[in-house]
Amino acid sequence: MTALSWIIAIGTFLGGLAAQHDLPSPVAGNLALMLLGASLLTCPVLWRIPTLADWLTGRMRAMACLALLLTLPLALIPAG
């Protein structure tokens, strides 16, 4: 599960950086912010801090990240 978290965290972080630099400015801000938020939700290193570990459980974190990733196409509709 940790390996999957790392893959999603790195992929969404790089996607957020690419969205900031490559997409038109009205769409790039929302999309990049959602991708960077998903990256923070899945980063295993951040969630080993005791205060953050008490804030959200692993399952809640995974569902929040999944919800962010599934709503990304809604942010891309105005770009089309």
Side-chain angles (χ1 to χ4, degrees):
M1 192 67 174
T2 303
L4 182 63
S5 294
W6 275 113
I7 291 170
I8 293 173
I10 292 170
T12 54
F13 180 75
L14 292 176
L17 289 179
Q20 275 184 330
H21 294 287
D22 294 340
L23 290 177
S25 62
V27 176
N30 294 334
L31 184 62
L33 192 61
M34 281 194 267
L35 283 168
L36 293 174
S39 174
L40 285 175
L41 279 175
T42 57
C43 185
V45 172
L46 292 178
W47 291 100
R48 289 190 181 154
I49 299 171
T51 56
L52 289 178
D54 293 338
W55 189 49
L56 287 176
T57 64
R59 184 170 291 166
M60 291 170 63
R61 243 185 10 246
M63 290 299 120
C65 181
L66 184 64
L68 279 173
L69 292 176
L70 291 176
T71 57
L72 288 178
L74 294 175
L76 291 176
I77 288 173

